Amino acid sequence: MAITFAALREGDLLPVQERTPTHALVLATMGGVFGPGTPRQFFDPEYARGIGLGGTIVPAPVKWNYLEQYLRRWLGGGGVIRRLQVSHRRPNLQEHPMILRASVVRKYEEHGQRLADFELFIDTPEGDRAVRAAATVAFPAG
Amino acid sequence: MPDAAMTEDADSLITPAMRAAIGREGASITRTIEAEPVLRLIIAYDEDPAIIAAVRRGDRSVALPPYCLSTITSGEGQIQVPDLPPHQLLAADGWSISAPIHLGDRLTITPRLADIQERIGGRVGHSLFVHNEWVCVNADREEVARMLRTMTYFPQGWAE
């Protein structure tokens, strides 16, 4: 069901979602090949452990893609994401769940546009914050 | 955006050469959004079956998920900044989306060094935040999207 601007409330929480980025998904995100310029921590478990990461980690674009999809699916076509800015706090491991959360921070009108700001997070299964993000969504005029 | 104090004093890590590089643009590249890489990506992300079906039949009218922009750029041509400290971390990245994208869209992408900021304190100590952006315009020269990436550069490794 499409989310409408009228129904949106500041402080609304989106349903928590769990996604597990597989190695295959990481490979697809990197263009189907780990080329010469690909950092080894994305595909070489021994190297990743050697630099203290605990295993191969999830590249930043995967996290952005997941958050964009999470918010877009929740909007259900009711609004269009205009901006999604992601701040990286700590790594997530491949094949480990990532917990996605979001809330409505502000709804407002600006230059004749109906807009809403969202705060989004990715947490590790242990509860550590891996990503903090901010999005702006534009809604159609009522 | 850094949340600690910014500095511009005699101990600044920002050199005149760095300052001169701010605002510099790199060479533009023009690429077309093609079905095959888009399909591989949206299947991997378990996208809406209607979108997958539309891409399979080459439908150029359906709006693609914005992350499909990553099939034509992943930040190539980043402006080289002189004198940067040796260690680096990705601090932030994101997209601003001005218009939907479709199969067959031909976009021209231009890298630009947007800004350099300095920060004292924080996780990695005295550091520089280098803000890069890639502006994507369509065949009518209208901006479709802008990719942003902030890298942190710092003189000392975490464990040093």
Side-chain angles (χ1 to χ4, degrees):
Chain A
M1 195 176 79
I3 300 293
T4 64
F5 186 76
L8 214 58
R9 297 280 176 270
E10 291 178 3
D12 280 354
L13 299 175
L14 279 63
V16 174
Q17 189 176 94
E18 185 177 302
R19 302 293 297 268
T20 300
T22 62
H23 190 68
L25 178 119
V26 169
L27 183 60
T29 306
M30 304 298 277
V33 62
F34 291 122
T38 307
R40 288 174 65 188
Q41 58 266 33
F42 297 147
F43 64 88
D44 183 340
E46 281 188 31
Y47 173 81
R49 279 191 284 273
I51 59 173
L53 289 171
T56 48
I57 62 169
V58 179
V62 173
K63 302 183 189 187
W64 192 94
N65 295 356
Y66 268 147
L67 287 174
E68 188 278 332
Q69 189 181 49
Y70 169 55
L71 181 55
R72 175 166 44 88
R73 282 180 167 166
W74 181 77
L75 290 165
V80 176
I81 301 170
R82 290 297 183 209
R83 176 186 70 96
L84 175 57
Q85 187 82 21
V86 174
S87 174
H88 302 280
R89 303 301 172 117
R90 63 182 68 232
N92 293 91
L93 296 177
Q94 294 178 28
E95 310 288 351
H96 284 64
M98 304 197 309
I99 316 301
L100 281 59
R101 308 174 193 276
S103 64
V104 182
V105 174
R106 180 177 169 231
K107 60 182 277 193
Y108 54 104
E109 295 194 26
E110 193 174 86
H111 307 303
Q113 273 200 304
R114 293 177 159 188
L115 302 170
D117 292 338
F118 291 75
E119 191 172 40
L120 303 97
F121 302 103
I122 295 177
D123 294 337
T124 68
E126 294 76 29
D128 293 322
R129 183 127 298 161
V131 164
R132 182 175 185 168
T136 300
V137 173
F139 288 84
Chain B
M1 179 68 70
D3 52 10
M6 302 292 173
T7 74
E8 246 188 273
D9 56 24
D11 297 325
S12 173
L13 294 173
I14 301 181
T15 65
M18 281 184 197
R19 202 176 300 283
I22 296 172
R24 186 175 295 162
E25 286 189 357
S28 299
I29 54 168
T30 299
R31 292 199 172 135
T32 302
I33 299 180
E34 306 279 2
E36 187 194 329
V38 166
L39 191 58
R40 183 169 54 219
L41 197 58
I42 62 179
I43 289 173
Y45 279 86
D46 194 22
E47 205 47 75
D48 178 351
I51 295 178
I52 293 175
V55 171
R56 278 193 204 283
R57 63 175 182 268
D59 185 341
R60 294 184 171 209
S61 68
V62 69
L64 298 173
Y67 60 73
C68 293
L69 282 163
S70 68
T71 62
I72 58 166
T73 180
S74 56
E76 303 95 323
Q78 181 170 309
I79 304 298
Q80 296 302 307
V81 179
D83 308 330
L84 285 173
H87 301 285
Q88 61 175 289
L89 280 174
L90 174 64
D93 61 355
W95 285 92
S96 295
I97 313 291
S98 311
I101 57 167
H102 311 86
L103 284 183
D105 282 358
R106 196 162 164 75
L107 302 180
T108 298
I109 304 151
T110 306
R112 177 175 173 270
L113 178 63
D115 199 8
I116 301 175
Q117 295 175 310
E118 192 160 20
R119 180 185 186 188
I120 291 178
R123 214 165 29 148
V124 295
H126 194 174
S127 57
L128 294 178
F129 283 73
V130 177
H131 304 280
N132 293 281
E133 65 181 18
W134 288 259
V135 180
C136 305
V137 300
N138 63 20
D140 297 324
R141 307 300 298 169
E142 294 165 337
E143 183 173 319
V144 171
R146 188 175 288 247
M147 185 174 89
L148 313 161
R149 179 183 295 158
T150 299
M151 300 294 299
T152 311
Y153 293 86
F154 44 101
Q156 303 294 321
W158 274 357
E160 292 174 37

